[in-house]
Amino acid sequence: MAKKLTPMTLLCGYLGAGKTTLMNKVLTNQQGYKVAVIVNDIGEVNVDAKLIADGAKITDTSSIVPLTNGCICCTLKSQLAQNIENIIKSGKYDYIMIEASGVCEPMPIAQELQLIKNGVLDNVVGVVDAARLVDEFAGGDKLLHKDDIEEEDIESLLVQQIEFCSTLIINKKDLVSEDDFKKVRKVIEALHPGVKVIETSHGDVPVGEILATGSFDFDAVYSSAGWCKKLEEGEADEDEHEEHEHHHDHDHEEHEHEEHDHDHEHNPAHGEEGHHCDEHCHHHHHEHRHEGESEDEYGIGTFIYMRRKPFDRVKLDEFANKWPRNIIRCKGLMWFADEPEMAWVFETSGRQIQAGYSGQWVAACPENEQKQILAANPQIKDEWDEKVGDRMIKLCIIGQKLDKKAISDALDSCLAD
């Protein structure tokens, strides 16, 4: 008889979003579960661990495991896994909740949790502050608080925490106007269409929406991001015909998800490996409604930039330094003229811009390997270009009041001569 897996819920959200408040509410009503908690704090003192113990009136603090001086999405990943394994082996708990630091990216943590032998990731819950989203995405004019993190990093984290979750909780709804809140919802719909959204004011969320939901599936969550869905739909600008990514990543395993490198913002010319997770998108062939191609009443729009010519590395790097501020998210495939055999992933979150290898184009593979790939994937033959094969630039662009022609023209100016 197979051993029962211990379910886990990952709680992510930027600083001050309300994660600890939500955690306390869950712990005061565990619905029959014996819940162990892992709390990550980047400082030397784990303040959240004490707040949870006090707020949930927990006297036996052995159920709370603090992880300090690092982030569980990078430096403390192995320590996180070991602590979870120890909790499971103890047999004292039948559910584990992990509260990530406010500056953690959810995807690499989820990847690590997927490797836990006797555990199963049940739910990834993103908690966002409605007022913060208004400031970042709906034209608010409040200045950022004095955090130990740059503005562009905050934007990037917010985008990633919205995109990669199975449940999204919009907290502090009472602090924003109805019209601003509608704008925020439109941005969320563009970034993660169809995600389960719970609106609340004080972290009041039914425990059943957090624990034992069975709602998390890595591939499903990843491919449900707005940029990925739009790339699948493939409706490119300026009458470009429908295309799909199908480059051949023979250098990496399909489920190798790596964290983003924050040291390479504004520099897509850096050859950083670690963005090859994006080949997932073309493996999911779902039917999608083709909507949102034009702006809505709040100016939130999406379009696909698609070209069959490569970028000039220097020109693109120069344009990255003046990237349009109203583009909230851009992600997709590209190639460079000086490295035609390699596919790259290009992505922006707010003003943070990154690029990295994603694998080799099918057209760059040896002829016998090409034949095998094309035989196994006949749809590629229908999309094959006589000159460049499967090479392409294909970017999903999401933003507010986008000037589609101006952006396309600017990107065209970065193409190789």
Side-chain angles (χ1 to χ4, degrees), residues 171-186:
N171 197 25
K172 306 183 183 181
K173 182 182 177 181
D174 56 319
L175 300 181
V176 300
S177 70
E178 183 177 350
D179 190 57
D180 278 344
F181 191 78
K182 287 179 180 179
K183 293 178 185 177
V184 164
R185 285 302 305 264
K186 289 294 183 180

Side-chain angles (χ1 to χ4, degrees), residues 379-397:
Q379 74 278 7
I380 299 179
K381 297 178 183 178
D382 299 331
E383 302 165 349
W384 196 266
D385 184 271
E386 291 184 3
K387 293 183 179 180
V388 299
D390 58 326
R391 298 178 180 91
M392 67 180 72
I393 296 170
K394 189 174 184 183
L395 305 175
C396 174
I397 298 172

Side-chain angles (χ1 to χ4, degrees), residues 44-331:
E44 293 183 7
V45 179
N46 201 311
V47 176
D48 282 352
K50 186 177 188 308
L51 291 174
I52 288 171
D54 294 346
K57 296 179 173 58
I58 296 174
T59 54
D60 180 9
T61 56
S62 64
S63 64
I64 303 176
V65 180
L67 293 180
T68 57
N69 274 335
C71 290
I72 57 176
C73 67
C74 45
T75 57
L76 296 181
K77 279 200 294 186
S78 59
Q79 190 175 339
L80 169 67
Q82 187 58 58
N83 276 275
I84 292 175
E85 294 285 2
N86 292 340
I87 289 171
I88 294 174
K89 288 177 182 177
S90 75
K92 294 171 60 178
Y93 306 98
D94 50 20
Y95 207 100
I96 300 173
M97 288 192 69
I98 302 107
E99 180 187 334
S101 159
V103 295
C104 280
E105 301 169 12
M107 190 170 73
I109 307 173
Q111 179 190 6
E112 188 70 22
L113 295 177
Q114 297 257 100
L115 302 177
I116 302 296
K117 293 179 181 178
N118 296 311
V120 59
L121 185 52
D122 176 78
N123 198 4
V124 174
V125 180
V127 184
V128 291
D129 178 342
R132 167 74 77 176
L133 293 187
V134 168
D135 288 344
E136 298 294 337
F137 297 138
D141 56 0
K142 294 182 181 178
L143 296 176
L144 294 168
H145 299 296
K146 292 182 179 180
D147 301 316
D148 295 326
I149 186 168
E150 297 297 327
E151 180 178 358
E152 52 264 35
D153 293 324
I154 294 174
E155 294 170 337
S156 176
L157 280 168
L158 288 174
V159 168
Q160 292 175 58
Q161 289 166 354
I162 290 170
E163 282 186 339
F164 195 86
C165 64
S166 41
T167 303
L168 183 65
I169 296 171
I170 307 178
N171 197 25
K172 306 183 183 181
K173 182 182 177 181
D174 56 319
L175 300 181
V176 300
S177 70
E178 183 177 350
D179 190 57
D180 278 344
F181 191 78
K182 287 179 180 179
K183 293 178 185 177
V184 164
R185 285 302 305 264
K186 289 294 183 180
V187 173
I188 289 172
E189 287 171 14
L191 291 174
H192 197 165
V195 67
K196 181 176 181 178
V197 175
I198 300 173
E199 303 172 4
T200 185
S201 295
H202 304 285
D204 291 321
V205 179
V207 176
E209 304 289 355
I210 307 296
L211 302 183
T213 64
S215 60
F216 182 78
D217 176 88
F218 200 111
D219 286 348
V221 168
Y222 183 85
S223 63
S224 63
W227 66 267
C228 196
K229 285 194 170 187
K230 289 298 180 183
L231 288 182
E232 282 186 334
E233 291 172 0
E235 291 195 353
D237 73 309
E238 299 183 0
D239 299 322
E240 292 282 353
H241 61 280
E242 182 176 321
E243 299 287 347
H244 295 277
E245 309 94 296
H246 45 251
H247 63 283
H248 178 53
D249 185 359
H250 65 273
D251 295 321
H252 308 287
E253 292 181 8
E254 184 169 323
H255 288 278
E256 185 179 354
H257 296 265
E258 297 288 344
E259 59 263 30
H260 298 258
D261 188 343
H262 292 286
D263 296 329
H264 293 87
E265 59 200 26
H266 300 302
N267 197 346
H270 283 88
E272 288 299 311
E273 296 191 37
H275 296 270
H276 42 264
C277 53
D278 299 82
E279 65 269 19
H280 277 283
C281 209
H282 77 277
H283 291 296
H284 301 274
H285 300 289
H286 308 295
E287 292 184 6
H288 300 295
R289 292 173 298 164
H290 294 270
E291 56 186 28
E293 305 302 323
S294 58
E295 291 184 355
D296 60 30
E297 67 270 34
Y298 296 104
I300 309 301
T302 303
F303 73 94
I304 301 295
Y305 174 83
M306 158 70 185
R307 297 291 185 268
R308 284 289 192 167
K309 293 181 65 177
F311 279 131
D312 178 285
R313 194 182 299 262
V314 174
K315 291 179 181 179
L316 183 61
D317 193 37
E318 291 174 350
F319 178 56
N321 291 319
K322 50 187 178 183
W323 191 256
R325 183 69 179 83
N326 59 328
I327 295 179
I328 297 171
R329 184 66 156 137
C330 174
K331 192 164 184 176

